[in-house]
Amino acid sequence: MTRRSPKPGVRRRAARRRRAAQPSLFWRLTKFLFVLGSVAFVGLAIWVALIARDLPDVSSLGDVERTASLSFYDQNARLIARRGSAHGRAASVDELPDYLIDAVLAVEDRRFYSHYGIDLIGMGRALLANLRAGRVVQGGSTLTQQLAKNLFLSPERTLERKVQEVLLAFWLESRFSKDEILELYLNRVYFGGGAWGVEAASMRYFGRSASEVSLGEAALLAGLLKAPSRYSPVSDAERAAARATVVLDLMEQTGRISPAERIEAAATPIRVSRGASSPGAQYFIDWIAPRVRELAGPGHGDLRITTTLDVDAQRAAERAVSDVLSDPDLARGAGEAALVSLAHDGAVRAMVGGQDYLRSQYNRAILAQRQPGSAFKPFVYASAFEAGLRPDDVRSDSPVQVGDWSPANYNGQYRGDMTLREAFARSSNAVAVRIAEETGRSHIARLAERLGIESRLLVDRSLALGAYEVNPLEMAVAYAAFANGGRRAESYGILLIETADGEILYEAQPVAGDVVLDTRTYAQMQSLFRSVIVWGTGRQAAVSGIEIGGKTGTTNDFRDAWFAGFGGELVTAIWTGNDDNAPTERATGGGPPAAIFSRFMADAPSSGLGAEPVSATLEAYGLAPLTANNTIDANPDVSVDTPAETADEEAEEEDPIAAFLSSLGGNEQR
């Protein structure tokens, strides 16, 4: 029996039924996307859950974790700096001025009271601004997100951390009111200068509570939040003021203050706490901070350190360095400088380790080892006087040769026979070498070490011309004996270390240094130092009303220039040059360093910088330091004998042999 084929109509209806039973492409695509989305959603949910599982513990939200704070004060109890973290009391939003809150919100989160932890509008605005600029110029994080990050998270920039930040922001918003979140933020955020929280910052910069700040001060504090170190008024007052002006502009644009209030606030000077306004003092703090930890030991919490520094003298030193180095005619190609000024017992009253601490924290005052040139000659002459020579003894200023070494005077000029006083004032290389060979190099090296030179000395032919390396601090220490009656000084910077409860952990005791110069040598050296200032190479260091003594020094190729001297109650050593040891534009010791010294001494306090027991020491010697009321000429056996013509600014002969000899091994070393 044969099977009949279906009719054509029946076949077409069956085909249509089969096609109708198959889903269309649209529905298949929709189903695929739905399944994919579901899987992605589940995967994302699992990923977020895993991230949420790793969220930090928030039970310690009210605890403040901090390190001990070290507060450094000058000898007159004025704040210099703080190291470590300083936390003030917790300030409530209700007690803060409305304009302080408005200033913070204007720059950090304008829509704070209208979002729920994240601000999609703000994020979109920031994204658009960044795309236009081609770089990140604006952030989209809310104040709540910043609080979450500051309280609980690390600063790393990863997607995982960002998700945790958003989750914590949601948690904070659900747990606390807006005012509570704002209060937590203001009491935990960093304002620079070691100050955490708005109260500590206000005390740090203005010396009063945050509830008492003016509109301009509030704008300055709010401006710090973006970059506390960059906009710190301690580091750069002009930049901080400019940032505060930006904050005032934003407050006006958002209707938080009126145009008249903005103009008045911008026109009102902001006075930063004076104790916090000397950034260059950080070189000094860097020097003594390790010593504080050694003397105090661990486990004492916050410490108050009274130092030997004098804020007024420090500011005078910084201004002097800045004024000279910023003037090309005075700097003569010197790009850096270092200054150390001591009381006669070695107490550091001022220390400048470089032109700009923010740009370079390298402390040239204690770390830079440079050749002193003729600034070493006082040790040569003092050794000669101990051996029996006198300032009026005559030696020949003519070409000299020691073996195969022939050091020359500046420009090859010689003046024939002259007294040792004139040779010292004119910085004659020939005479210095002659008396060094006559006296004995080893004796000179021992005297220099006795007075305070601690760097290694090479006892060779070039010793008399300072062809070895020292730092400004040890030069100042060694020169102190020429000013304080002949006693050895020891540099120090700490007077007192106390706990927050007033317990004294360390107190410096005055110590009379060993006698390192006899009375006759001391008086004779004062005569020579004074001659340098009156008619010698150091005339530019003179200061009206103050009797000054000192010595200039310049090295080969004019790479280093020095002036070390004393007057009033201070002994000061100054170096100028370049960090890369490049030659200057013929800068000599009688140029930039002498100019810095003169400006510093004229501007520094004229009293209150001395130290005991130096005054008693000088009385026992029947002598006195160089002051306006007690000139060198009043001392016995002292004269300046002004010649018919003054000396040129000195510079040592460009003598590569001297430099070479100083680096040779096998010489007697001290």
Side-chain angles (χ1 to χ4, degrees), residues 244-283:
T245 301
V246 171
V247 176
L248 291 172
D249 291 340
L250 290 173
M251 293 178 72
E252 180 188 352
Q253 292 170 14
T254 55
R256 289 177 165 87
I257 59 173
S258 66
E261 289 174 320
R262 181 221 171 274
I263 293 173
E264 181 182 357
T268 303
I270 298 176
R271 300 189 179 278
V272 177
S273 175
R274 284 181 60 82
S277 60
S278 184
Q282 299 300 324
Y283 288 113

Side-chain angles (χ1 to χ4, degrees), residues 85-370:
S85 59
H87 293 259
R89 66 174 182 84
S92 68
V93 171
D94 293 337
E95 69 183 81
L96 298 174
D98 290 341
Y99 48 71
L100 176 55
I101 303 298
D102 289 339
V104 172
L105 295 182
V107 294
E108 294 300 313
D109 193 347
R110 301 178 193 177
R111 293 168 41 82
F112 174 69
Y113 282 100
S114 61
H115 63 66
Y116 198 73
I118 63 172
D119 184 4
L120 297 178
I121 296 176
M123 293 173 63
R125 183 177 60 246
L127 178 61
L128 183 60
N130 295 335
L131 289 175
R132 287 175 176 173
R135 59 188 177 89
V136 178
V137 295
Q138 193 176 116
S141 295
T142 64
L143 188 147
T144 311
Q145 288 176 268
Q146 293 181 50
L147 177 62
K149 178 179 64 177
N150 293 337
L151 287 178
F152 305 118
L153 301 174
S154 65
E156 62 179 346
R157 295 186 175 185
T158 63
L159 180 60
E160 179 180 348
R161 192 205 62 80
K162 194 66 177 179
V163 172
Q164 289 180 328
E165 178 185 299
V166 171
L167 293 175
L168 286 169
F170 285 143
W171 179 85
L172 287 169
E173 291 279 350
S174 66
R175 174 67 175 80
F176 300 98
S177 69
K178 285 291 187 180
D179 284 351
E180 288 173 330
I181 292 173
L182 182 59
E183 194 171 292
L184 282 169
Y185 177 81
L186 290 174
N187 287 315
R188 298 301 188 90
V189 72
Y190 185 57
F191 285 87
W196 294 85
V198 67
E199 182 68 15
S202 182
M203 294 299 298
R204 169 73 173 87
Y205 295 117
F206 311 125
R208 59 180 178 276
S209 172
S211 62
E212 302 173 358
V213 297
S214 66
L215 174 56
E217 292 167 342
L220 190 148
L221 289 175
L224 290 171
L225 296 174
K226 181 178 181 180
S229 298
R230 176 177 175 81
Y231 294 115
S232 169
V234 175
S235 303
D236 192 327
E238 292 184 3
R239 181 179 291 166
R243 175 63 178 166
T245 301
V246 171
V247 176
L248 291 172
D249 291 340
L250 290 173
M251 293 178 72
E252 180 188 352
Q253 292 170 14
T254 55
R256 289 177 165 87
I257 59 173
S258 66
E261 289 174 320
R262 181 221 171 274
I263 293 173
E264 181 182 357
T268 303
I270 298 176
R271 300 189 179 278
V272 177
S273 175
R274 284 181 60 82
S277 60
S278 184
Q282 299 300 324
Y283 288 113
F284 173 77
I285 301 302
D286 288 347
W287 175 56
I288 65 171
R291 182 63 174 157
V292 169
R293 297 182 179 90
E294 291 177 8
L295 294 173
H300 295 292
D302 293 346
L303 298 178
R304 176 190 174 103
I305 301 97
T306 301
T307 73
T308 61
L309 200 78
D310 183 88
V311 167
D312 293 327
Q314 178 67 26
R315 292 197 190 100
E318 292 177 31
R319 281 193 296 268
V321 169
S322 178
D323 289 349
V324 171
L325 292 187
S326 62
D327 186 338
D329 293 334
L330 293 175
R332 298 186 187 180
E336 276 296 352
L339 179 153
V340 178
S341 189
L342 313 175
H344 289 175
D345 70 335
V348 177
R349 299 301 189 213
M351 177 181 287
V352 179
Q355 186 177 10
D356 186 347
Y357 180 83
L358 296 179
R359 187 183 64 192
S360 170
Q361 290 78 52
Y362 179 68
N363 192 347
R364 297 156 189 83
I366 61 173
L367 299 175
Q369 296 289 121
R370 295 300 186 107

Side-chain angles (χ1 to χ4, degrees), residues 551-576:
K551 184 70 185 77
T552 58
T554 314
T555 62
N556 296 332
D557 296 325
F558 303 94
R559 298 179 188 277
D560 305 289
W562 291 77
F563 183 86
F566 43 86
E569 298 174 327
L570 297 174
V571 182
T572 305
I574 298 165
W575 165 86
T576 64

Side-chain angles (χ1 to χ4, degrees), residues 20 31 34 47 78 83 160 166 191 195 330 338 362-363 376-377 392 424 466 574 576 601 640 646 651 656:
K31 181 179 179 180
F34 175 78
W47 181 62
R78 292 172 292 185
R83 295 286 173 92
E160 179 180 348
V166 171
F191 285 87
L330 293 175
Y362 179 68
N363 192 347
F376 183 77
K377 287 176 181 174
D392 292 330
F424 186 85
I574 298 165
T576 64
M601 291 298 297
V640 295
T646 57

